[in-house]
């Protein structure tokens, strides 16, 4: 949206151009790198959720 409003070429435009021009290596690289960022971001969020939410920690000696 920012790219369209301010006419600033960015990653979104690169994806569109790669898709329209059939630049498969660029398109795959952008998709894989984006997927890695999403995976790492979710993994970090899960770690913080586990560390910060006391309901997820094991209770000592209660058998659960």
């Amino acid at each position: 949206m920012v790219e369209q409003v301010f006419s600033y070429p960015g990653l979104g435009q690169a994806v569109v151009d790669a898709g329209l021009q059939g630049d498969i290596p660029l398109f795959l690289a952008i998709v894989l790198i984006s997927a890695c960022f999403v995976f790492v971001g979710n993994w970090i969020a899960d770690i913080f959720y586990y560390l910060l939410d006391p309901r997820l920690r094991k209770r000592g000696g209660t058998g659960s």
Side-chain angles (χ1 to χ4, degrees):
M1 185 167 160
V2 173
E3 294 174 13
Q4 292 296 324
V5 171
F6 297 109
S7 297
Y8 183 75
L11 190 58
Q13 188 63 41
V15 170
V16 171
D17 290 342
L20 292 176
Q21 296 172 1
D23 191 358
I24 301 301
L26 176 62
F27 189 74
L28 285 176
I30 292 171
V31 169
L32 287 174
I33 291 170
S34 299
C36 288
F37 274 115
V38 169
F39 176 77
V40 170
N42 282 330
W43 181 63
I44 291 171
D46 286 342
I47 290 172
F48 280 131
Y49 183 58
Y50 175 77
L51 293 175
L52 296 175
D53 191 353
R55 296 175 292 177
L56 295 177
R57 295 188 194 135
K58 290 184 179 180
R59 295 181 184 142
T62 60
S64 55

